[in-house]
């Protein structure tokens, strides 16, 4: 028995000759326990032994028999093509000869032993896809969880780095170290952009969705894209009328279009054509698109199609994976398409790609239609201190202190200094519990609450809720590296403003001023 086991192990690892398949009960036990359909083939590709799963897949109209040629499993009109693919060592999808049998994936592993040709694996296509997609989904979920988990700490570090440089630069805009400080801030900004891409993939970035007219958004990008694509790429923009409206962060929609367009440009080094079009779709029943299911509903559709060389079939299922790139030597990070996928999915939409070698690539995005009117254009934000540190806000005279809560000591000190320079009186705490204790011991009622969301113990949301029991009209500004959706709350309905990390100190001051009611704080 020990010798038989060693022989079987060697065979399973692709080494040595298997035990005699017709009489070895151990081999039959292994075959029967296997979930895919398996058959052992002789040197002429005739079936020697098989498991019950293969008999089930073949169906009752195709009884298997010893010595039966493997080719008889496959529909007659594709036998030559299937045999060629298997001989080349490739996996191939095929139809079985039996009526009503499912489509299957076939692959064969040669054993190269006298009298034994190899082992054939037969798996229904649906099961093969479920397994592959489940594994891919698990991998992506793991990376997404990692990205979301590290974002908070990275954003705290980047806020501290950029804030310290910003504060030093504000004190001496033309000092000897000003060039180095600006470089620090620029590097921190690049780090923040990278974290933002990770959060986009993880669907946890802070979005500010608005109802936008899709045609107008695409048309507005046309001029910019023509300059970026260069003269070798012919850009065509086709806008279906009447136009549809969608609810999405306009900046992130621009990023989606930009990323897809630049990706298409890189796929056409010798030039070509790029088509960006809008349309609509009415989905009456669930539809499979790529590796996802498009649910019923009314959608606005955005297409981006190029005439490049296309994507190899073996690479196509992986293009939305983070860090996967075929242009590593040219500086590719593998985050462009994963960012696009994350933005689309976080906005409630779906994306799919189809491509053929030599025939180009087409991305299609379905975004839920919005029937209400488009929101008015957002007012441009004031320039942040990161680019204009010499523009210091006018100091204010306040009637009460701002309660500032942050568990990271460097960030607490930076924010306190910025608010103090802006004229606010500041009461600081390192946790929600400490803040409540200060108030219980007689600290004055706060003018407003500025708090981090993620902290040991009670979080910023719980602190805001506790303080609103004492003062229902208390203005609240929360800072976080996570999106509002990731927090699981409708902050707008709760009259809570969210400032994404990393933030500039001037942004912190401006956001606080924006939530204060008239008369609570005045410019001195």
């Amino acid at each position: 028995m020990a010798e038989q086991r060693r022989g079987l192990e060697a065979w399973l690892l692709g080494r040595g000759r298997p035990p005699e398949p017709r009489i070895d009960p151990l081999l039959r036990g292994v075959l029967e326990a296997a979930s895919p359909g398996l058959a052992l083939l002789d040197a002429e590709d005739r079936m020697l032994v098989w498991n019950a799963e293969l008999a089930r897949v073949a169906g009752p109209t195709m009884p298997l028999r010893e010595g039966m040629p493997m080719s008889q499993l496959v529909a007659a009109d594709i036998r030559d093509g299937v045999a060629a693919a298997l001989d080349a060592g490739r996996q191939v999808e095929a139809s079985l000869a039996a009526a009503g049998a499912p489509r299957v994936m076939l692959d064969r592993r040669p054993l190269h032993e006298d009298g034994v040709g190899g082992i054939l694996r037969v798996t229904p296509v649906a099961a093969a896809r479920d397994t592959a997609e489940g594994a891919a989904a698990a991998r992506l979920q793991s990376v997404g969880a990692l990205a979301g988990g590290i974002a908070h700490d990275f954003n705290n570090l980047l806020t501290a780095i950029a804030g310290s440089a910003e504060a030093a630069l504000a004190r001496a805009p033309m000092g000897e170290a000003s060039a180095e400080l600006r470089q620090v801030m620029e590097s921190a900004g690049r780090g923040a952009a990278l974290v933002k891409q990770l959060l986009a993939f993880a669907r946890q970035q802070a979005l500010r969705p608005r109802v936008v007219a899709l045609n107008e958004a695409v048309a507005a990008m046309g001029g910019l894209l023509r300059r970026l694509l260069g003269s070798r790429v012919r850009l065509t923009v086709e806008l279906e009328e009447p136009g549809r409206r969608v609810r999405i962060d306009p900046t992130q929609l621009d990023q989606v279009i930009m990323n897809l367009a630049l990706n298409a440009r890189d796929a056409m080094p010798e030039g070509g054509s790029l088509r960006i079009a809008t349309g609509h779709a009415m989905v009456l029943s669930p539809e499979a698109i790529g590796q996802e299911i498009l649910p019923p509903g009314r959608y606005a559709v955005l297409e981006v199609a190029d005439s490049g060389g296309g994507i190899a079939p073996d690479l196509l299922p992986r293009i939305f994976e983070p860090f996967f790139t075929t242009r590593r030597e040219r500086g590719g990070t593998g985050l462009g398409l994963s960012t696009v996928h994350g933005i689309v999915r976080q906005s409630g939409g779906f994306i799919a790609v189809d491509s053929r070698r030599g025939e180009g690539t087409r991305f299609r995005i379905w975004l839920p239609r919005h029937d209400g009117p488009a929101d008015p254009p957002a007012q441009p934000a004031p320039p942040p201190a990161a680019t204009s540190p010499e523009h210091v806000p006018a100091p204010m005279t306040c009637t009460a202190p701002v309660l500032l809560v942050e568990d990271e000591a460097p960030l607490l000190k930076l924010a306190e200094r910025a608010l103090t320079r802006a004229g606010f009186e500041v009461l600081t705490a390192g946790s929600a519990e400490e803040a409540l204790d200060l108030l219980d011991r007689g600290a004055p009622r706060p003018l407003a609450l500025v708090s981090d969301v993620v902290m040991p113990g009670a979080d910023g949301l719980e602190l805001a809720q506790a303080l609103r029991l004492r003062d229902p009209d208390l203005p609240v500004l929360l800072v976080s590296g996570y999106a509002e959706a990731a927090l699981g709350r409708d902050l707008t309905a709760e009259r809570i403003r969210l400032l994404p990390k990393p933030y500039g100190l001037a942004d912190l001051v401006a956001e606080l001023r924006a939530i204060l009611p008239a008369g609570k704080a005045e410019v001195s």
Side-chain angles (χ1 to χ4, degrees), residues 317-509:
R318 301 189 60 193
I319 62 171
F320 294 124
E321 291 184 14
F323 311 115
F324 176 75
T325 177
T326 58
R327 298 193 295 270
R328 186 79 61 189
E329 70 284 353
R330 287 177 281 169
T333 63
L335 285 174
L337 289 179
S338 64
T339 298
V340 167
H341 184 272
I343 291 172
V344 171
R345 294 298 286 117
Q346 190 176 350
S347 302
F350 298 84
I351 183 169
V353 56
D354 54 82
S355 179
R356 291 186 178 181
R357 295 295 277 173
E359 298 183 14
T361 301
R362 180 182 66 165
F363 288 88
R364 301 187 73 197
I365 296 171
W366 290 261
L367 295 169
R369 286 174 52 184
H370 192 283
D371 292 328
D375 290 332
Q379 295 298 318
T387 56
S388 302
E390 62 274 13
H391 294 160
V392 179
M396 305 184 72
T397 301
C398 301
T399 58
V402 172
L403 178 56
L404 176 64
V405 186
E406 169 65 64
D407 63 307
E408 292 285 341
L411 292 186
L412 183 63
K413 292 178 181 178
L414 281 171
E416 180 185 10
R417 290 171 186 165
L419 296 179
T420 300
R421 285 199 304 269
F424 291 99
E425 180 184 349
V426 183
L427 179 65
T428 64
S431 67
E433 291 78 9
E434 182 183 346
L436 293 172
D437 185 58
L438 287 173
L439 297 178
D440 289 340
R441 289 192 283 110
R445 175 182 293 184
L447 174 72
L449 170 66
V450 178
S451 175
D452 190 12
V453 173
V454 180
M455 298 182 293
D459 61 28
L461 288 164
E462 292 170 326
L463 175 60
Q465 186 176 8
L467 294 179
R468 285 268 177 88
L469 293 176
R470 310 181 186 201
D471 181 1
D473 296 323
L474 178 70
V476 175
L477 173 64
L478 298 180
V479 295
S480 176
Y482 295 102
E484 179 176 338
L487 301 179
R489 303 279 283 272
D490 184 354
L491 299 187
T492 301
E494 297 184 44
R495 297 176 292 118
I496 295 176
R497 199 175 185 105
L498 182 68
L499 174 63
K501 285 184 176 180
Y503 56 80
L505 299 181
D507 297 327
L508 177 65
V509 173

Side-chain angles (χ1 to χ4, degrees), residues 164-340:
S164 299
E166 178 185 341
L169 195 56
R171 288 195 296 269
M174 304 305 293
E176 293 182 0
S178 61
E180 288 78 4
L181 291 171
R182 293 181 190 278
Q183 182 62 49
V184 169
M185 295 174 64
E186 182 180 340
S187 298
R190 289 199 298 270
L194 180 60
V195 172
K196 190 173 184 180
Q197 283 186 300
L198 287 171
L199 285 173
F201 159 70
R203 306 176 197 173
Q204 293 180 2
Q205 68 171 328
L207 300 181
R208 294 187 175 179
R210 303 172 58 82
V211 178
V212 300
L214 184 59
N215 281 0
E216 293 179 8
V218 173
M221 289 292 292
L224 175 61
L225 290 178
R226 285 188 172 88
R227 292 193 296 272
L228 291 175
L229 296 174
S231 59
R232 291 187 176 186
V233 178
R234 300 183 306 277
L235 174 63
T236 303
V237 179
E238 301 176 2
L239 305 178
E240 182 187 64
E241 295 293 347
R244 272 74 181 180
R245 291 173 294 278
V246 296
R247 190 171 188 272
I248 192 171
D249 185 323
T251 302
Q252 299 304 312
L253 176 59
D254 290 347
Q255 183 178 350
V256 166
I257 298 172
M258 180 79 70
N259 281 9
L260 293 179
L262 295 182
N263 205 63
R265 181 196 64 184
D266 293 342
M268 300 182 289
E270 303 301 322
S273 61
L274 175 64
R275 172 178 170 269
I276 302 178
T278 61
H280 72 284
M282 175 75 77
V283 179
L284 300 178
S285 60
E287 295 182 9
I289 55 168
Q291 297 183 2
E292 297 180 299
I293 300 297
L294 182 66
R298 298 191 303 163
Y299 296 91
V301 180
L302 173 65
E303 289 189 10
V304 179
D306 65 63
S307 62
I311 303 172
D314 58 322
L315 300 181
L316 201 59
R318 301 189 60 193
I319 62 171
F320 294 124
E321 291 184 14
F323 311 115
F324 176 75
T325 177
T326 58
R327 298 193 295 270
R328 186 79 61 189
E329 70 284 353
R330 287 177 281 169
T333 63
L335 285 174
L337 289 179
S338 64
T339 298
V340 167

Side-chain angles (χ1 to χ4, degrees), residues 49-103:
V49 64
W50 54 91
N51 64 358
E53 178 64 15
L54 180 56
R56 187 193 67 79
V57 172
T61 62
M62 184 188 291
L64 305 180
R65 65 184 187 279
E66 190 172 318
M68 173 182 174
M70 176 200 70
S71 60
Q72 289 188 10
L73 286 172
V74 181
D77 58 337
I78 59 172
R79 286 174 184 170
D80 292 342
V82 169
L86 293 176
D87 289 342
R90 299 197 307 269
Q91 188 180 56
V92 61
E93 183 174 337
S95 299
L96 294 182
R103 288 185 63 82

